Structures are given as C-alpha cells and as structure tokens.
Amino acid sequence: MPSRSSDTRPKASWALTLAALGTLLFLHVPMWIIFLYTLTPEEATYTFPLPGFTTKWYGVALQRPDLWRSLTLSFQVAAIATVVALILGTFAAAAVYRSNFFGRESISFLLVLPIALPGIVTGIALRTAIGGLDIPFSFWTIVIGHATFCVVVVYNNVLARFRRTSATMIEASMDLGANSFQTFRHVVLPNIATALLAGGMLAFALSFDEVIVTTFTAGQQTTLPIWIFSQLSRPRDRPVTNVVATIVILITFLPIFFAQKISAEASDTEGETK
C-alpha cells in the first residue's frame, strides 16, 4: 500500500484566513451570547456586561416538568423518525443505484426535494394532506412530518457510499453462491455501515430541533423546539429559555460532529486503499 504523501498545498493567505475567521464568528457568536445570558442573575435583563454571574437557572430549568415532557417527546420523535429514515432511505438509495428504470433521475430529484423546499411549504402540504385524510394530529403525524426530510439525509449518504463501492463485489458474492440476504449482510451492509451511522446521526439532529414542520403537524403535542418558541413571549423566563436552548445546541452538536468525523474517516480509509 503506498504511503500517504506529505501535504504540499500552499498556506492560506491572510485575507482568506480572516474571511474564514469572520465566517466562524458570524455563525457561532450568537450561540455564545445565548450561553452567556444563561448566567445572568436577573430575570428579564439583557445588559452587558452582566450585573453578575449565577448558575441557578440551570437548576430551575431542570425542575420544570413541562420541559422534561417536551424533551422526552422530542427524543421519541427523533428516534422513531431516524429509524424510519434509515429503512426507507436505504431502500430508496439501493433502488436508484442498482436499478436502471425510466424516470430514475426524476425519482432521485423527488426524494431530495423535501429538504430543498422551505419548511413552511412542506408543513402546509403535510397539514393539508393529513387533514384531507381525516387523520387526527398526534405523535405519529409529527413522526411522519420529520421522516419526510430525514429520509433525504440518509438517502444522500447511502447513495454516495453506493457510488463509491465497486459493483463487482456484489456480483462476486452472488457468483459464489450467496443469496440476496447473505450478500446484503456480509458485503453490502459492512460497506454502507458508516454511511448509515452518519446519516442516522444527522437525521436525529435535524429531527430533534425541527420547529416549522412540527408546528403544522403536532396538534396539541409540544416538542422541545415548540416549547422554546412558546417561552419567547414570557420575558421573565428568558434565562430558563436560554438554558434550554444551550442544551439543544449541545444535543444537536454532538451527532453532527460525530457524523462528520465518521464520514471523514471513511473517506480517508477509502483513499488509502485505492
């Protein structure tokens, strides 16, 4: 196996470095401001510098039963939507990659469309369809709504992995007497495992903090993002809202971070074996 060559790419110019730093600050400073105001000792004051520091709002937030109900609901919805997305996204990617049929590119476009459309358009469409079928809005309608865009994430990850996987491996497995299930279990699944893991993590993160589609499909249910949105009209609860927003940032950051690491490591491994 050839050794990895040293990186000979030129260093970035100071202008490019400043541009990258400015972009990072633009994206992340608002999140740090939210964290900063979780430490304010006063309820409805947004002054800088802070009049003091306290961590009491974390204890107040963790004692709110309505928060725990919303947090539990969001975890349940995200978990089930992710499982549905993993199944449907994998099957769809396999069908598009392995089969040559009329309208294949159109099918691929329609699968990706839900995540490209504005959330409010998807939400209105889902609400109209669910209402037209006389389906009561409940936990399961939220899952259906979230699965529509979670499928796209899994589909894109798995399809990209299929396209980087040699088709001769599957053909060799079938030629050696393996049936379809054995080929999937011993050849296909190990090759797409990291893509499934990364796609599942991204799908969970997207579902957990989704608010627009949820608003149209939730009925009387209150997920954590909807709970946060409802709290914005209560100025005296702002520190608690900031605490919960910080928790959401951490919960969604971890799956995205690990998904990116897994995808990068898988790409590096493929590059070394070529």
Side-chain angles (χ1 to χ4, degrees), residues 25-97:
L25 291 175
F26 176 78
L27 293 173
H28 293 282
V29 164
M31 293 188 289
W32 285 106
I33 292 175
I34 291 175
F35 170 72
L36 180 65
Y37 281 104
T38 65
L39 305 175
T40 180
E42 300 181 12
E43 292 179 341
T45 301
Y46 277 79
T47 59
F48 188 85
L50 269 62
F53 293 92
T54 181
T55 58
K56 70 175 183 178
W57 302 114
Y58 287 87
V60 173
L62 295 177
Q63 292 174 4
R64 294 277 296 266
D66 55 338
L67 166 61
W68 284 107
R69 286 194 297 269
S70 300
L71 181 62
T72 301
L73 178 62
S74 288
F75 266 114
Q76 291 172 341
V77 169
I80 296 176
T82 299
V83 171
V84 172
L86 285 171
I87 296 171
L88 297 182
T90 302
F91 285 159
V96 169
Y97 174 71

Side-chain angles (χ1 to χ4, degrees), residues 201-202 205-206 209 251-261:
M201 287 181 173
L202 288 173
L206 284 175
D209 66 0
I251 291 175
T252 54
F253 166 80
L254 292 175
I256 294 173
F257 173 77
F258 286 117
Q260 191 274 336
K261 292 287 289 183

Side-chain angles (χ1 to χ4, degrees), residues 4 7 11 19 27 38 42 44 50 64 71 74 89 91 120 127 129-130 156 164 176 178-179 186 206 228 244 268-269:
R4 182 182 297 180
D7 193 347
K11 292 183 178 180
L27 293 173
T38 65
E42 300 181 12
L50 269 62
R64 294 277 296 266
L71 181 62
S74 288
F91 285 159
I120 192 169
R127 187 172 184 86
I130 292 170
N156 283 336
R164 294 200 301 267
L176 291 172
N179 56 36
H186 297 291
L206 284 175
I228 294 174
V244 178
D268 290 343
T269 303

Side-chain angles (χ1 to χ4, degrees), residues 142-165:
I142 304 175
V143 172
I144 292 171
H146 286 204
T148 58
F149 54 83
C150 289
V151 166
V152 180
V153 177
V154 176
Y155 169 79
N156 283 336
N157 274 273
V158 175
L159 183 61
R161 182 58 52 84
F162 273 136
R163 286 172 175 168
R164 294 200 301 267
T165 302

Side-chain angles (χ1 to χ4, degrees), residues 225-241:
I226 291 180
W227 183 91
I228 294 174
F229 187 72
S230 67
Q231 291 294 112
L232 295 179
S233 60
R234 302 174 182 177
R236 296 181 67 86
D237 286 343
R238 288 288 175 84
V240 174
T241 306

